[in-house]
């Protein structure tokens, strides 16, 4: 079983990671069903409150998170990223990348990745280019105007693109076969019935 770790903290932007976490945890259409599980990580194991007022109790504390035990670390956006409250997660992201384990950050989390130096030499995106300038990073020349970007072991996305973010995550994890991933994106991002037909056909052909 491979574990995808999802960071949780106060003011977490609920909508940004739901598409990714729901479909990682749900084995439907997976290339290898039953391979992945989702584990939440907090600064401590005390409950946190999302920006949508949802209460989440982390499964583990960040002190107990080891890249060797993880397939990926996902960092949602939050109002706290501009301050120093979430520096421990930025530091952990550096450990993950150094160990060759991918990190995915969306919205405010891209600011944390920039502060940590992880975007200095990688193609990346965020909500707007100017937002990252205030992090003090030196990677502005590598900024890309795109909903989501993957460069080596770092995925970035803007707050308005949860499905593009999820698509990059799924591709990096090898969660779906390429044509299934395309169909997933058609259905969930664009309400294209052709995507549903492909997914239904795939599910039928792989039924026990």
């Amino acid at each position: 079983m491979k574990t995808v770790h999802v960071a949780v903290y106060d003011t977490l932007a609920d909508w940004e990671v739901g598409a990714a976490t729901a479909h990682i945890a749900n084995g439907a259409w997976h290339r290898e069903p039953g391979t992945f599980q989702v584990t939440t990580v907090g600064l401590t194991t005390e409950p946190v409150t999302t920006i949508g007022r949802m209460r989440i109790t982390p499964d583990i504390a960040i002190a107990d998170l080891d890249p060797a035990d993880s397939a990926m670390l996902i960092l949602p956006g939050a109002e706290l990223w501009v301050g120093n409250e979430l520096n421990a997660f930025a530091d952990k992201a550096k450990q993950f990348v150094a160990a060759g384990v991918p990190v995915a950050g969306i919205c405010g989390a891209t600011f944390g990745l920039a502060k940590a130096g992880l975007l200095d030499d990688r193609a990346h995106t965020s909500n707007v280019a100017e937002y990252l300038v205030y992090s003090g990073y030196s990677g502005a020349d590598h900024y890309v105007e795109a909903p989501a970007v993957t460069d080596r072991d770092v995925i970035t996305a803007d707050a308005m693109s949860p499905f593009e973010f999820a698509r990059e995550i799924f591709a990096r994890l090898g969660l779906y076969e390429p044509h299934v991933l395309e169909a997933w994106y058609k259905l969930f991002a664009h309400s294209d019935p052709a995507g549903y037909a492909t997914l239904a056909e795939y599910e039928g052909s792989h039924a026990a």
Side-chain angles (χ1 to χ4, degrees):
M1 179 72 73
K2 299 176 183 178
T3 301
V4 174
H5 289 90
V6 180
V8 294
Y9 21 72
D10 288 331
T11 74
L12 178 156
D14 310 62
W15 71 91
E16 294 176 347
V17 296
T21 57
H23 291 277
I24 291 169
N26 179 0
W29 316 309
H30 285 196
R31 188 195 301 264
E32 299 177 60
T35 301
F36 288 94
Q37 64 180 1
V38 173
T39 295
T40 55
V41 185
L43 290 171
T44 68
T45 54
E46 291 298 309
V48 300
T49 304
T50 73
I51 201 166
R53 307 304 298 170
M54 300 285 287
R55 296 273 285 174
I56 300 174
T57 301
D59 295 313
I60 64 171
I62 194 169
D64 299 319
L65 176 59
D66 188 333
D69 300 325
S70 185
M72 178 180 286
L73 174 62
I74 299 176
L75 301 172
E79 295 173 355
L80 300 181
W81 273 112
V82 176
N84 296 318
E85 292 94 333
L86 301 181
N87 283 353
F89 281 106
D91 292 341
K92 187 65 69 172
K94 290 178 67 174
Q95 293 178 27
F96 267 62
V97 173
V101 182
V103 173
I106 185 170
C107 186
T110 62
F111 191 92
L113 296 178
K115 282 176 61 177
L118 292 173
L119 306 184
D120 287 345
D121 62 351
R122 288 179 171 85
H124 61 277
T125 193
S126 184
N127 295 338
V128 292
E130 292 78 8
Y131 174 62
L132 295 184
V133 171
Y134 293 103
S135 72
Y137 86 136
S138 59
D141 289 344
H142 300 289
Y143 189 88
V144 179
E145 294 287 353
V149 175
T150 299
D151 190 338
R152 286 164 284 168
D153 287 325
V154 177
I155 298 168
T156 52
D158 64 52
M160 295 68 69
S161 304
F163 294 108
E164 288 76 11
F165 186 54
R167 180 176 59 177
E168 296 298 312
I169 288 170
F170 299 160
R172 184 63 181 79
L173 291 173
L175 196 69
Y176 301 138
E177 295 180 15
H179 75 286
V180 175
L181 178 58
E182 181 183 0
W184 180 92
Y185 183 69
K186 282 182 178 179
L187 176 61
F188 289 97
H190 297 293
S191 301
D192 186 340
Y196 176 80
T198 299
L199 294 175
E201 180 181 358
Y202 180 86
E203 188 171 17
S205 67
H206 288 76

